[in-house]
Amino acid sequence: DKKVKEMLAAIKVGDRVRTIGGMYGTVTNLKDDIITISVGPDKARLVFARGAIATVEDSPVENTIEDGVK
Protein backbone atom coordinates (compact mmCIF):
# COMPACT_ATOMS: atom_id res chain seq x y z
CA ASP A 1 0.00 0.00 0.00
CA LYS A 2 2.86 2.36 0.84
CA LYS A 3 4.59 1.66 -2.51
CA VAL A 4 1.37 2.43 -4.41
CA LYS A 5 0.98 5.77 -2.60
CA GLU A 6 4.60 6.65 -3.36
CA MET A 7 4.14 5.72 -7.04
CA LEU A 8 0.99 7.85 -7.31
CA ALA A 9 2.68 10.81 -5.61
CA ALA A 10 5.67 10.61 -7.97
CA ILE A 11 3.69 10.73 -11.26
CA LYS A 12 4.82 13.58 -13.51
CA VAL A 13 3.96 15.00 -16.93
CA GLY A 14 5.38 12.80 -19.68
CA ASP A 15 5.06 9.51 -17.75
CA ARG A 16 3.49 6.56 -19.55
CA VAL A 17 0.79 5.06 -17.33
CA ARG A 18 -1.80 2.28 -17.25
CA THR A 19 -5.15 2.90 -15.59
CA ILE A 20 -6.94 0.36 -13.43
CA GLY A 21 -9.23 -0.17 -16.43
CA GLY A 22 -6.29 -1.18 -18.63
CA MET A 23 -5.99 2.01 -20.67
CA TYR A 24 -2.47 3.17 -21.57
CA GLY A 25 -1.58 6.80 -22.09
CA THR A 26 0.87 9.63 -21.49
CA VAL A 27 0.35 12.11 -18.65
CA THR A 28 -0.19 15.58 -20.12
CA ASN A 29 -1.45 17.51 -17.08
CA LEU A 30 -1.57 17.18 -13.29
CA LYS A 31 -3.68 19.23 -10.91
CA ASP A 32 -4.07 18.05 -7.32
CA ASP A 33 -5.67 14.58 -7.58
CA ILE A 34 -6.74 14.97 -11.24
CA ILE A 35 -4.58 13.52 -14.03
CA THR A 36 -5.08 14.12 -17.73
CA ILE A 37 -3.65 11.53 -20.12
CA SER A 38 -3.52 11.45 -23.90
CA VAL A 39 -4.35 8.16 -25.59
CA GLY A 40 -4.42 6.69 -29.08
CA PRO A 41 -3.22 7.98 -32.42
CA ASP A 42 -5.48 11.05 -32.17
CA LYS A 43 -4.05 11.94 -28.75
CA ALA A 44 -7.52 12.05 -27.17
CA ARG A 45 -7.37 13.59 -23.70
CA LEU A 46 -8.99 11.73 -20.83
CA VAL A 47 -9.28 12.89 -17.24
CA PHE A 48 -8.86 10.50 -14.30
CA ALA A 49 -8.57 10.62 -10.55
CA ARG A 50 -4.98 10.00 -9.47
CA GLY A 51 -6.12 6.78 -7.75
CA ALA A 52 -7.24 5.37 -11.13
CA ILE A 53 -3.61 4.94 -12.18
CA ALA A 54 -2.44 1.34 -11.71
CA THR A 55 1.17 1.59 -12.86
CA VAL A 56 3.78 3.88 -14.35
CA GLU A 57 5.33 2.05 -17.29
CA ASP A 58 9.11 1.78 -17.62
CA SER A 59 9.06 1.53 -21.40
CA PRO A 60 6.78 3.19 -23.95
CA VAL A 61 3.73 1.27 -25.09
CA GLU A 62 3.54 1.10 -28.87
CA ASN A 63 0.39 2.12 -30.66
CA THR A 64 -1.08 -1.20 -31.85
CA ILE A 65 -3.01 0.42 -34.72
CA GLU A 66 0.19 1.78 -36.24
CA ASP A 67 1.91 -1.56 -35.64
CA GLY A 68 -0.70 -3.30 -37.79
CA VAL A 69 -2.32 -5.22 -34.93
CA LYS A 70 -6.08 -4.93 -34.78
Side-chain angles (χ1 to χ4, degrees):
D1 196 41
K2 183 178 178 182
K3 288 182 181 183
V4 171
K5 287 181 181 180
E6 290 173 355
M7 180 267 306
L8 292 174
I11 293 173
K12 61 190 179 307
V13 172
D15 283 348
R16 293 286 299 171
V17 296
R18 180 178 54 86
T19 68
I20 58 174
M23 192 171 300
Y24 290 88
T26 302
V27 176
T28 58
N29 193 20
L30 294 164
K31 184 176 180 183
D32 300 323
D33 283 338
I34 304 297
I35 295 180
T36 304
I37 65 172
S38 64
V39 298
D42 296 330
K43 307 275 189 234
R45 291 185 185 151
L46 303 172
V47 179
F48 292 93
R50 189 177 293 261
I53 304 302
T55 61
V56 175
E57 300 295 312
D58 292 332
S59 60
V61 177
E62 299 300 322
N63 183 340
T64 57
I65 294 174
E66 291 174 1
D67 293 340
V69 177
K70 295 182 182 177

